[in-house]
Amino acid sequence: MALGTLALTAGCDAEKDLMVVEIPEKDVAYEQLYILGYSVSSYIDGDPFVSNTAIPMDPTDDPNVFTKRVEMYYYKDNKQFKFCDAQNDWNKIHYIVPESGVIDGTSYAYVEVGENANRGTVCSEMAGNLRDNFWGIREGEDGVYDIAINGKTLEISVTLVEKKEQPFAPEELYMVGDGTPAGWNISSPTPMEMTSPQVFEYTGPLYAGEMKCPMQVSDKWEAPFIMPKVHETKINKNGVAAPECEYVPTGNPDSKWRIEEEGTYHLTIDCSKGKNDITIAAEYLGEIVRGPELYMLGNAAEGSFDSNNPVAMYYDEAKGTFYWEGPIYFADKNASSNNANKQFKFVNRPGNWDAVEYYVPENADKDGFIQTVAPGTHKMRMTTWKGGATGVDAFWGITNGADAIYRIEVDLDAMTFTMTRTGNAEPQPDPELETELYMQGVAGKSGCDSNNPGVQLERVGDTHTFTWEGELYYTEEENNRQFNFITSKGNWDAVYFLVPENGNSDQYREMIEDGGVYKMKRIKGAGQPLSASWGIAAENNGSYHLEVNLETMELKVTKL
């Protein structure tokens, strides 16, 4: 079919006859096609759905036909493959997706094996008809396949090369959730012990709350998990309501066990029969046997305000008291402005903020309350958000000029602590400002590998200000983790992250808008909310200029 016609004249001679030239249809529809989805995960390091890193398909003798050999394994969300015409931002390219047959309630159509047995359609954000759909396989069709697409006719051929089971022999398994000792600290989950090949056991406390089982230690939720087949499957004194588990290699769809009754449990998760026959058993052993433990939060506690990662206090067995000793600075140079002089409070155990008990000033009556204290004995009270209770977020602080080394000794029976000055504190050095800055998150496809960050911000002269320009678009990927920053390359637990000042969990997202100025804080180490980030609402999608000032610890956002 002709794409159009063009009328030509010779020079400006109006008396010359018009010559109509037919513009033929393009002989080659696409110079190159790319494939993305679970089927190409073996080719990539990162997210298989990112168009910027889509995998080039192989050319053939026919310039319109491209092929790729892939491995497809059935997952519940089943997004095996679709195509795109460039490696670029999702809103700047065209996709080739199933023309029809998408299963209700899903994002995929079943692929049919055979020559030209599937047909695609072109869609794009630019045309206003974008569809985030894929081809998927049926359960039991795992294997190696050759995929061929004719970019001109949009006919897709799929050939089974070899039936193949996905390798599944886990060597590690962990627990995470507010029902576990780890809380929701994905960077430091509670380990289970492999007691025989692919059989994992745990004996210890479980708390009222939720639980799921990551298969590796990472700072990502989009990773392999063992989960219950039915969300909110109950675990209580009677055991597990249903033993069936599910291998979820992508972390999605998300389901969790519900610990109904706190106690000491023995858990067994058996993966030895393969990914399609995983089971869990739970035995209630009795009430939790609590050893003496108490923890600190605040500026004095290495700057940790995350109840999932408090600082452990020492236990004096002879006295039955807990103690800590170290420097406390009134104007802590590492503290964010909203945490100024929040020096310490106590928490009974590591855990999610609404699953633990805190010890705060006796007369604390509102969030943000700070009682300044001097050496002496001071009364405290317990507060909590457990079970829907309304707690109070309060701390003890010191007076201006009282920087020193202190010993703090806590007597839980008397509900008091005694504070003793034991020496002079060395002057606190100014934080050394960095000369490099990198981005982490989905913005700019920067990724989450702190050893190899995908985006480096541009430094403004010899200042400590850095800039970046690019596209920001709402996405459920990484839970809309658009960006935060790291100040150097290195292992995730050894580099400094710059995150929103109020970020208190890995799930925290501060939504940015045009003209916004946002305060940041600097954090490091396991248990910290390293994935706390800035996000964006869908209605604010677009091109942005970011300016990061390490001296003022501010992020300025301008929409272009």
Side-chain angles (χ1 to χ4, degrees):
M1 179 181 72
L3 294 180
T5 60
L6 180 64
L8 301 179
T9 64
C12 296
D13 190 344
E15 295 184 1
K16 294 274 187 178
D17 291 336
L18 291 174
M19 180 174 61
V20 178
V21 177
E22 295 287 334
I23 300 177
E25 182 178 298
K26 286 176 64 176
D27 291 328
V28 178
Y30 301 98
E31 296 298 326
Q32 177 67 59
L33 284 176
Y34 302 81
I35 185 170
L36 60 167
Y38 288 137
S39 69
V40 297
S41 59
S42 60
Y43 295 91
I44 62 174
D45 179 17
D47 193 323
F49 304 113
V50 176
S51 55
N52 300 74
T53 55
I55 303 302
M57 299 189 73
D58 301 323
T60 67
D61 292 339
D62 185 335
N64 278 303
V65 176
F66 299 86
T67 65
K68 197 69 183 177
R69 178 162 290 186
V70 302
E71 295 181 11
M72 292 194 281
Y73 303 103
Y74 176 81
Y75 306 141
K76 184 173 285 187
D77 50 348
N78 209 15
K79 298 177 180 179
Q80 299 296 338
F81 67 90
K82 65 179 176 183
F83 310 97
C84 60
D85 65 347
Q87 291 175 315
N88 207 331
D89 294 344
W90 63 274
N91 62 315
K92 299 177 182 177
I93 62 175
H94 297 85
Y95 289 96
I96 300 173
V97 302
E99 181 182 53
S100 60
V102 173
I103 308 300
D104 287 346
T106 78
S107 297
Y108 63 87
Y110 285 125
V111 68
E112 303 297 339
V113 175
E115 185 175 355
N116 300 333
N118 311 274
R119 185 170 178 83
T121 186
V122 179
C123 63
S124 72
E125 174 70 12
M126 298 169 288
N129 63 349
L130 185 64
R131 306 177 200 169
D132 188 23
N133 293 333
F134 293 75
W135 281 274
I137 60 173
R138 294 174 176 84
E139 199 165 359
E141 293 182 342
D142 295 2
V144 180
Y145 288 84
D146 282 338
I147 296 174
I149 177 171
N150 187 314
K152 192 171 184 179
T153 66
L154 300 183
E155 293 173 319
I156 295 113
S157 302
V158 178
T159 304
L160 176 64
V161 177
E162 175 193 359
K163 280 274 190 181
K164 185 178 180 180
E165 281 289 318
Q166 185 178 25
F168 183 80
E171 299 292 323
E172 300 173 81
L173 195 61
Y174 302 85
M175 305 186 305
V176 71
D178 56 357
T180 74
W184 287 113
N185 183 2
I186 189 61
S187 300
S188 186
T190 299
M192 300 187 74
E193 180 185 1
M194 188 166 73
T195 54
S196 60
Q198 285 70 62
V199 176
F200 301 88
E201 298 185 50
Y202 165 80
T203 300
L206 293 177
Y207 309 98
E210 293 182 317
M211 179 188 83
K212 58 182 179 178
C213 294
M215 301 176 70
Q216 62 190 38
V217 176
S218 77
D219 62 350
K220 295 186 66 171
W221 296 100
E222 296 76 12
F225 278 82
I226 303 297
M227 300 178 180
K229 278 201 170 181
V230 178
H231 180 49
E232 295 288 290
T233 294
K234 296 175 181 178
I235 296 177
N236 53 35
K237 290 181 179 180
N238 297 320
V240 183
E244 295 83 8
C245 303
E246 189 165 31
Y247 167 54
V248 186
T250 63
N252 183 54
D254 187 17
S255 61
K256 307 174 188 74
W257 287 279
R258 167 66 62 181
I259 315 300
E260 282 198 313
E261 297 172 280
E262 177 181 292
T264 300
Y265 287 83
H266 177 76
L267 298 182
T268 303
I269 296 181
D270 187 348
C271 304
S272 63
K273 299 175 184 176
K275 66 177 183 179
N276 296 318
D277 189 10
I278 304 170
T279 58
I280 182 173
E283 180 185 4
Y284 178 80
L285 301 179
E287 294 184 359
I288 294 176
V289 178
R290 301 185 185 277
E293 57 179 330
L294 192 65
Y295 301 82
M296 279 177 61
L297 291 171
N299 294 327
E302 301 175 9
S304 177
F305 290 82
D306 179 9
S307 58
N308 286 294
N309 189 42
V311 168
M313 301 185 73
Y314 294 99
Y315 182 65
D316 187 325
E317 193 166 347
K319 293 183 177 181
T321 58
F322 299 89
Y323 67 92
W324 169 91
E325 189 167 354
I328 300 180
Y329 298 94
F330 172 78
D332 194 311
K333 295 177 180 179
N334 295 313
S336 58
S337 58
N338 67 327
N339 288 334
N341 208 26
K342 292 181 179 178
Q343 301 297 347
F344 59 91
K345 65 179 177 183
F346 311 107
V347 61
N348 67 324
R349 67 172 178 87
N352 214 41
W353 65 272
D354 57 354
V356 298
E357 297 170 355
Y358 300 92
Y359 298 92
V360 300
E362 183 183 46
N363 57 342
D365 58 358
K366 61 182 178 180
D367 288 346
F369 180 95
I370 300 174
Q371 179 180 333
T372 56
V373 288
T377 298
H378 307 276
K379 288 187 173 294
M380 59 189 193
R381 69 179 178 91
M382 188 273 285
T383 187
T384 186
W385 284 264
K386 288 170 58 175
T390 302
V392 60
D393 184 21
F395 289 80
W396 286 277
I398 60 174
T399 58
N400 193 0
D403 295 0
I405 305 293
Y406 290 95
R407 177 185 171 93
I408 296 173
E409 189 166 357
V410 180
D411 185 337
L412 289 180
D413 292 332
M415 289 295 281
T416 62
F417 74 88
T418 300
M419 184 174 179
T420 306
R421 178 171 178 150
T422 59
N424 296 325
E426 292 292 329
Q428 191 177 24
D430 289 323
E432 188 172 339
L433 296 180
E434 295 84 355
T435 58
E436 295 180 347
L437 195 64
Y438 302 88
M439 184 181 286
Q440 298 271 271
V442 299
K445 307 304 176 187
S446 48
C448 299
D449 183 357
S450 57
N451 285 289
N452 187 31
V455 172
Q456 181 173 4
L457 282 77
E458 183 176 350
R459 188 181 183 192
V460 179
D462 293 329
T463 70
H464 296 287
T465 297
F466 302 83
T467 64
W468 175 83
E469 290 184 0
E471 307 291 327
L472 300 177
Y473 286 91
Y474 171 81
T475 176
E476 293 184 4
E477 181 185 340
E478 289 276 0
N479 190 27
N480 197 26
R481 179 187 177 184
Q482 293 292 323
F483 61 88
N484 61 16
F485 307 102
I486 55 174
T487 59
S488 62
K489 296 180 181 180
N491 290 337
W492 64 270
D493 56 352
V495 301
Y496 281 99
F497 283 74
L498 303 183
V499 303
E501 187 175 62
N502 293 322
N504 56 8
S505 72
D506 285 330
Q507 291 77 44
Y508 181 90
R509 301 290 178 264
E510 183 168 359
M511 309 303 280
I512 60 142
E513 295 180 353
D514 181 28
V517 179
Y518 306 93
K519 284 287 187 182
M520 308 182 298
K521 65 181 177 182
R522 183 186 275 102
I523 57 174
K524 181 175 76 170
Q528 297 284 0
L530 302 182
S531 291
S533 302
W534 288 272
I536 192 167
E539 62 268 22
N540 292 326
N541 289 350
S543 298
Y544 284 84
H545 174 88
L546 304 182
E547 180 180 295
V548 182
N549 188 322
L550 299 188
E551 293 180 333
T552 62
M553 288 297 282
E554 288 181 335
L555 162 70
K556 296 180 180 179
V557 176
T558 305
K559 192 170 187 179
L560 301 176

